[in-house]
Amino acid sequence: MEGAGENAPESSSSAPGSDESTRDPQALPLEEESGDCTRSLEAKKLCGYLSKFGGKGPIRSWKSRWFFYDERKCQLYYSRTAQDANPLDSIDLSSAVFDCKADAEEGTFEIKTPSRVITLKAATKQVMLYWLQQLQMKRWEFHNSPPAPPAAPDAALAGNGPALHLELGQEEAELEEFLCPVKTPPGLVGVAAALQPFPALQNISLKHLGTEIQNTMHNIRGNKQAQATGHEPPGEDSPQSGEPQREEQLSASDPSTPGREPEDSPKPTPKSSLTINFVQKAKRQNNTFPFFSEGITRNRTAQEKVAALEQQVLMLTKELKSQKELVKILHKALEAAQQEKRASSAYLAAAEDKDRLELVRHKVRQIAELGRRVEALEQERESLAHTASLREQEVQELQQHVQLLMDKNHAKQQVICKLSEKVTQDFTHPPDQSPLPPDAADRDFLRQQEKIEHLKDDMEAYRTQNHFLNSEIHQVTKIWRKVAEKEKALLTKCAYLQARNCQVESKYLAGLRRLQEALGDETSECSELLRQLVQEALQWEAGETSSDSIELSPISEYDEYGFLTVPDYEVEDLKLLAKIQALEVRSHHLLGLEAVDRPLRERWAALGELVPSAELKQLLRAGVPREHRPRVWRWLVHLRVQHLHTPGCYQELLSRGRAREHPAARQIELDLNRTFPNNKHFTCPTSSFPDKLRRVLLAFSWQNPTIGYCQGLNRLAAIALLVLEEEESAFWCLVAIVETIMPTDYYSSTLMASQVDQRVLQDLLSEKLPRLMAHLGQHHVDLSLITFNWFLVVFADSLISNILLRVWDAFLYEGTKVVFRYALAVFKYNEKEILRLHDGLEIYQYLRFFTKTISNSRKLMNIAFNDMNPFRMKQLQQLRMVHRERLEAELRELEQLKAEYMERRTSQRRAMSEGCASEDEVDGEA
């Protein structure tokens, strides 16, 4: 039989034997505490006979089996008898759930694992509830115990620590709210249950015939050894002393009644040989049966106190060993750090390229080892995710089952109430009819009484079942939550290891690049090997990942918005640099995923309705998560264009464009193919984005005839389409940027406001970064050649998409001041690298792609909004006003010079024409 199962959450019952008395731990002397400690070890032994339903086809039947629990593996083993050396099979309780049905045979319950369903039957209902509660407790202990290597039972108990006992105490208190703890059934569970009569021979398992034969041979050898022991010289097992020894062994073997002879202990002489054989085999099978690990005989005397103290010493010794192991681990970590430092020093101090290449190969081996560790963690995460899904399904099934049972119970209660009312009415107000004979009335009354008793029994059974199922659901839920927390911790660890892997690979590629620069154009064996290593590093690893698992490759080819993570440069040196940059971006993203991105997502999820506020301003500066960005951008755009927006405006503009062609349509068509060549949504032939972009730009050209179309608007509209996806939303976003956020003539034919902003940026750079501006002025570098496009398209072609969209998040809310902040932050971010360059051409080459080298978005944001303060809008407006006046004066002067030149040119042409006419007259006269 098979069935789905889940991990079950925590509800536990009191340990066996703990129901007899309630003690105050502060009032106990040392002797009683020692006794309780050893008794708790006895109580942890869960074993006994149960009937298991099994077989195939028509021979399915109940067979008696000896069950015992292994705490180290959370496995419930079973064999035909308690004396068998090898178990027939085992049941994994770590991912199992338990169920009992009220309408089933008394004492029947089920253990459901992910692979099968095991139906068991106890002797009585009390024994069934005891087993169920103990199995729940054992499962909870296993899920809450810290991971440790297999050890002796006392060491395992010491490893759990007081925190586990505290949690178990809390679980016992929670369990009592659902189902009262069941007392230990005497003689039916525990070691004493092994003295029950052997099961009949027909209970032999044909499925595990080999194991049965091994157990039979082992029992025969054990009986022979027991008979040989019986013929030894008198004094040990003589008939005179046999009875006291048997009584002592039986009294010590029952953990539920320590120090007391069981009432049902066997008296006949043949049983004594069985008991002796059982005790001897228990000593031999210390490793086979975990519940015999401390032997059966025990004297509650001073020896017990000594044993308890020895156990405490052993616990302290184990703790000391664990502390020593921790110290060793820390020493190893320190040695590893020192070794890495020595390796770096050796790399820098190496005189020959061969030595450096050997160090590089060593780093490659380290990267491979780290990759294997990441794969192992990923496999573990997948197994945990699968287990969690199975458990969630089982919880849902249990909830549905409980609801059905509650409905059924409610219906039966209504039937009982109606029957009770009817019986009462029949007795108080008999109907007007001829009286029944006395015998018939008595029989009818007895029948009704019997029916009521049966209904009461059914109600009690359903009540017990509901209480147990409530406790099971409670415990399953708590265990599921713990598994979810473990999975979250593993995901965090996996992300950290991936980030570490990216950092190591980035350093490796940086080392290759430096070696490449050092070798130059030399042709040698080392340069050829280096070229091969570079080619291998640039190859994609996309084929190694699967669609249903986490991306273990350090980088993927495209990001979530379709941009290439590694730009496709033609120069090999730039390709290597781009790959290094992509690895650094991935590393920063993974390291910040848990510390920054997750709390930020939680804050955005709890934000609710969007209203302008200081809190919203700070959240927008930190960046909007991908799942919230479309909603937030629509709100920001609506905030800007609500006075311009009219229903049906976009469709009307499209219809106007279909009626006749706009003069800018040809230029728009040319720019479509040049829009984001590094984005798959605009380069794929089957993509719908180019058509959407065409319609948005044509609609805007009709919306604003004074501008029509200006190069750069295609990139603004493309970014809006990638985020908002809807054409109309992207159109109004473009309107908001051009007509409300940017100055009025920013995209006019003269680009007046754009030129003004370039001069304002020069002043701000001189104020915030004077050393950098002096350096650029010394080498006659004109920054407007680089920064003009930044302002025109709001960094659309400059920054990587992860940082670009964060800039736009704040830009749509705060306006152009954000563009100035980030422009200053970009130069501050790379100030040291620019100051190292001392040639104008090298500076221009570096400035051409240096924005793509920015990988740490949080560092850039901190520079923009913290290091660049104070940054007042009033100062920005004053600078714009001053430079606009200067630029207009320059343009007027330029127009004047142009007019003078044209006037002079016209007069010169008139004079030349007159001279030509006089010459013609002379020629005519001649």
Side-chain angles (χ1 to χ4, degrees), residues 13 100 107 109 122 124-136 179-180 182 464-465 468:
S13 64
C100 64
F109 62 98
T124 63
K125 180 179 177 181
Q126 182 188 7
V127 177
M128 176 194 74
L129 293 177
Y130 175 81
W131 271 95
L132 287 172
Q133 286 190 344
Q134 291 302 308
L135 291 174
Q136 279 186 334
L179 193 64
C180 295
V182 181
T464 303
Q465 181 188 9
F468 170 74

Side-chain angles (χ1 to χ4, degrees), residues 507-776:
K507 292 178 181 178
Y508 166 68
L509 295 177
L512 289 179
R513 186 167 180 266
R514 290 180 182 176
L515 286 174
Q516 198 176 33
E517 292 176 351
L519 290 176
D521 298 333
E522 297 180 7
T523 56
S524 62
E525 184 179 351
C526 292
S527 62
E528 183 64 27
L529 176 60
L530 184 61
R531 191 176 296 105
Q532 293 178 2
L533 290 175
V534 171
Q535 290 296 331
E536 291 175 2
L538 291 175
Q539 290 177 357
W540 290 109
E541 302 170 357
E544 299 179 1
T545 60
S546 59
S547 59
D548 56 349
S549 64
I550 282 186
E551 185 81 18
L552 288 180
S553 179
I555 53 174
S556 58
E557 188 174 1
Y558 294 97
D559 65 6
E560 53 191 4
Y561 287 100
F563 289 96
L564 277 171
T565 53
V566 180
D568 190 13
Y569 293 126
E570 296 181 359
V571 183
E572 187 172 325
D573 188 33
L574 293 182
K575 285 185 178 181
L576 190 58
L577 184 63
K579 186 71 177 288
I580 295 171
Q581 182 60 26
L583 288 169
E584 290 179 356
V585 171
R586 177 70 171 163
S587 172
H588 287 299
H589 171 70
L590 290 171
L591 289 176
L593 188 64
E594 194 69 24
V596 180
D597 292 351
R598 192 179 300 276
L600 185 63
R601 283 191 173 90
E602 293 174 357
R603 289 182 64 188
W604 274 105
L607 189 59
E609 186 178 357
L610 297 174
V611 291
S613 62
E615 180 187 6
L616 179 62
K617 181 178 179 180
Q618 295 302 321
L619 285 175
L620 288 170
R621 287 182 174 185
V624 183
R626 173 180 169 79
E627 59 270 21
H628 298 286
R629 184 167 278 136
R631 175 178 67 93
V632 174
W633 278 29
R634 289 190 188 96
W635 179 80
L636 292 172
V637 170
H638 177 72
L639 202 65
R640 296 279 185 180
V641 300
Q642 54 186 345
H643 62 286
L644 300 174
H645 188 277
T646 55
C649 177
Y650 179 68
Q651 296 300 329
E652 181 183 349
L653 294 172
L654 289 181
S655 61
R656 191 186 304 177
R658 286 192 291 268
R660 61 193 182 94
E661 186 178 358
H662 194 278
R666 184 177 180 184
Q667 185 61 45
I668 290 173
E669 201 65 32
L670 291 174
D671 285 349
L672 284 178
N673 298 326
R674 293 181 284 192
T675 303
F676 293 139
N678 60 338
N679 189 291
K680 64 180 181 181
H681 295 302
F682 293 98
T683 55
C684 179
T686 59
S687 176
S688 62
F689 276 83
D691 294 332
K692 292 181 180 180
L693 181 60
R694 179 188 296 107
R695 290 191 289 269
V696 168
L697 294 175
L698 286 173
F700 179 80
S701 64
W702 289 107
Q703 160 75 15
N704 193 330
T706 58
I707 296 176
Y709 175 74
C710 174
Q711 286 187 343
L713 296 182
N714 58 326
R715 291 172 176 82
L716 297 177
I719 293 294
L721 271 175
L722 289 173
V723 175
L724 299 172
E725 295 182 356
E726 299 176 0
E727 289 183 37
E728 188 169 358
S729 299
F731 166 75
W732 288 112
C733 182
L734 182 60
V735 172
I737 294 172
V738 177
E739 299 187 9
T740 64
I741 299 178
M742 293 297 192
T744 53
D745 50 356
Y746 217 83
Y747 298 96
S748 64
S749 58
T750 60
L751 300 175
M752 172 73 72
S754 301
Q755 298 182 53
V756 170
D757 278 356
Q758 295 306 305
R759 299 191 180 194
V760 172
L761 178 63
Q762 299 280 341
D763 289 353
L764 292 174
L765 281 170
S766 300
E767 177 187 347
K768 305 290 185 181
L769 303 172
R771 186 182 173 193
L772 177 65
M773 285 302 293
H775 180 72
L776 295 175

Side-chain angles (χ1 to χ4, degrees), residues 759-774 776 783 817 819-829 831 835 863-873 875-876 879:
R759 299 191 180 194
V760 172
L761 178 63
Q762 299 280 341
D763 289 353
L764 292 174
L765 281 170
S766 300
E767 177 187 347
K768 305 290 185 181
L769 303 172
R771 186 182 173 193
L772 177 65
M773 285 302 293
L776 295 175
L783 288 180
K817 185 169 69 171
V819 184
F820 282 99
R821 281 184 176 274
Y822 272 99
L824 295 171
V826 166
F827 283 107
K828 179 65 177 177
Y829 191 100
E831 182 179 15
L835 291 175
I863 295 173
F865 294 108
N866 293 326
D867 296 354
M868 293 298 109
N869 287 333
F871 197 91
R872 300 178 179 87
M873 191 63 187
Q875 178 191 6
L876 184 61
L879 289 173

Side-chain angles (χ1 to χ4, degrees), residues 130-187:
Y130 175 81
W131 271 95
L132 287 172
Q133 286 190 344
Q134 291 302 308
L135 291 174
Q136 279 186 334
M137 185 190 70
K138 299 300 183 184
R139 180 184 59 190
W140 177 248
E141 287 180 357
F142 177 78
H143 279 285
N144 282 272
S145 59
D154 53 354
L157 181 65
N160 289 338
L164 177 58
H165 291 292
L166 179 61
E167 290 186 2
L168 292 177
Q170 295 174 352
E171 282 303 308
E172 291 175 8
E174 293 180 0
L175 179 65
E176 291 178 2
E177 298 178 3
F178 300 103
L179 193 64
C180 295
V182 181
K183 292 185 179 180
T184 306

Side-chain angles (χ1 to χ4, degrees), residues 82-138:
Q83 289 72 34
D84 289 347
N86 300 314
L88 298 176
D89 202 352
S90 64
I91 305 171
D92 184 12
L93 299 182
S94 62
S95 58
V97 293
F98 314 113
D99 187 17
C100 64
K101 294 180 170 57
D103 53 354
E105 190 176 353
E106 182 180 359
T108 303
F109 62 98
E110 293 180 347
I111 301 177
K112 298 181 179 180
T113 67
S115 59
R116 56 178 176 161
V117 178
I118 301 94
T119 306
L120 304 176
K121 183 171 68 174
T124 63
K125 180 179 177 181
Q126 182 188 7
V127 177
M128 176 194 74
L129 293 177
Y130 175 81
W131 271 95
L132 287 172
Q133 286 190 344
Q134 291 302 308
L135 291 174
Q136 279 186 334
M137 185 190 70
K138 299 300 183 184

